[in-house]
Amino acid sequence: MTTQSESLNSQLSTPLSEFLQQLLNGLSLGAIYALIALGYTMVYGVLRFINFAHSDVFMVGAFIGYYAGKLVPENTIWGGLVVLALSMLGCAVLGMTIERLAYRPLRGAATLNVLITAIGVSLLLEYSGQVFFGAAPRTFPAIFPVKNFSVGGLVISTNQLSVIVVAALLMVALQFIVHRTKIGTAMRAVSLNPKAAQLVGINIDVVISFTFGLGSALAAAGGILYALNYPSIDPLMGVMPGLKAFVAAVLGGIGNIPGAALGGLILGTVETFVNGSQWSTYKDAIAFAILIIIMLFRPAGLLGKFTVEKV
């Protein structure tokens, strides 16, 4: 009788365990999408254009982590934090360089010109990556301690916990910067009215450069966290995550920071549940189906606000 009872309890708990397992996997993936989406939404909020090169900054961040990981002991917390910091710093410099050389000369130009330039920068980073890093996939080192443990039938990886914890801390830090610092106040002022912000003494060039640097640093963190869970990296690895993060930004409300985080978590969770179902072959298509639905029924996104633009 005891054996039958345990078997029945096991059968009843299996669907719940599977649901919780997929939910954990989805939150881990969604946290990565959220970090990338935050970069998209910050740049859009300040400059009103989509930086399509952002997904390739994500790739560069992963490769910086790959090479930096060889310089520190593997499977150590401090080593992983050093790699994360170096990657974020390197990509922040890259983001500010891209803004200075590619986008600043086009400030005030037609939106189409800036869009084409962004696509050009994206392709430049991708194929430059193939030249410098090689086209063959590489295995990302285990920079953080890796361990799996089971809790009530739920298998939890320390890599997944690292992704969720680091992403949450970075999102909180971003909210603090935007709402509790002078540069954050300046960013919000430029987002609302660049001309008025300039009239009151705000250096727009500094604010925009900082925005690119901050967004690129978050993309680098996303690249490191992505490589921890999907440890094969290559110069084209940013294409699909970047597109999905863009969808996440639109889903939450492009230009809205909490919306980008929410959109990333929702998209990652939905994709993971689809991947675990009989419709797994459509897991990549689901993101773009969500984009179409959002554009049809709520173009401003879940947390975005409808605005009237003068033309």
Side-chain angles (χ1 to χ4, degrees):
M1 180 65 71
T2 303
T3 303
Q4 291 178 350
S5 176
E6 291 176 351
S7 176
L8 180 60
N9 289 336
S10 176
Q11 292 176 5
L12 290 175
S13 63
T14 296
L16 178 60
S17 298
E18 290 180 356
F19 173 81
L20 293 176
Q21 185 70 63
Q22 294 287 55
L23 181 61
L24 177 63
N25 297 340
L27 291 176
S28 177
L29 179 60
I32 297 170
Y33 288 159
L35 287 176
I36 310 172
L38 286 169
Y40 280 119
T41 206
M42 286 170 60
V43 171
Y44 182 85
V46 173
L47 288 178
R48 294 296 186 270
F49 84 92
I50 302 299
N51 176 23
F52 282 110
H54 188 68
S55 60
D56 298 296
V57 175
F58 162 90
M59 173 272 295
V60 173
F63 272 96
I64 293 176
Y66 171 81
Y67 289 107
K70 296 182 177 182
L71 303 177
V72 299
E74 292 189 0
N75 299 309
T76 60
I77 294 178
W78 75 266
L81 292 177
V82 168
V83 170
L84 184 65
L86 289 175
S87 179
M88 293 177 69
L89 179 61
C91 284
V93 173
L94 175 63
M96 290 187 288
T97 302
I98 291 173
E99 186 277 329
R100 179 66 183 86
L101 299 180
Y103 298 140
R104 189 176 298 182
L106 295 175
R107 201 176 299 165
T111 304
L112 181 60
N113 294 354
V114 182
L115 176 62
I116 293 172
T117 301
I119 295 173
V121 174
S122 174
L123 293 174
L124 175 64
L125 289 175
E126 289 174 10
Y127 292 102
S128 295
Q130 290 189 350
V131 171
F132 291 105
F133 306 136
R138 303 192 183 198
T139 301
F140 195 79
I143 56 174
F144 285 108
V146 181
K147 185 178 181 181
N148 295 329
F149 52 95
S150 179
V151 178
L154 184 66
V155 179
I156 302 174
S157 168
T158 53
N159 276 344
Q160 289 178 319
L161 294 180
S162 298
V163 168
I164 294 173
V165 171
V166 171
L169 290 175
L170 289 175
M171 291 178 197
V172 171
L174 177 62
Q175 283 290 91
F176 177 82
I177 291 172
V178 171
H179 294 285
R180 294 289 186 270
T181 64
K182 288 185 177 180
I183 188 67
T185 303
M187 288 169 61
R188 287 183 284 125
V190 173
S191 176
L192 290 172
N193 194 322
K195 292 183 179 179
Q198 194 170 23
L199 287 174
V200 298
I202 294 175
N203 189 327
I204 293 181
D205 290 339
V206 171
V207 172
I208 293 175
S209 182
F210 178 82
T211 302
F212 268 85
L214 186 58
S216 297
L218 293 175
I224 295 294
L225 298 178
Y226 185 89
L228 288 176
N229 286 275
Y230 308 93
S232 178
I233 63 173
D234 64 84
L236 300 181
M237 63 176 285
V239 175
M240 190 57 70
L243 288 173
K244 291 178 180 178
F246 171 67
V247 173
V250 175
L251 172 61
I254 191 73
N256 186 296
I257 291 178
L262 176 63
L265 293 175
I266 291 175
L267 182 61
T269 303
V270 171
E271 181 183 326
T272 301
F273 275 101
V274 171
N275 191 37
S277 70
Q278 59 181 336
W279 308 102
S280 58
T281 53
Y282 299 100
K283 70 181 183 67
D284 290 330
I286 190 67
F288 306 104
I290 291 175
L291 176 63
I292 293 171
I293 293 171
I294 286 294
M295 289 292 96
L296 288 175
F297 297 102
R298 189 172 174 81
L302 297 177
L303 300 184
K305 296 180 181 180
F306 292 95
T307 58
V308 177
E309 293 186 2
K310 295 182 180 180
V311 296

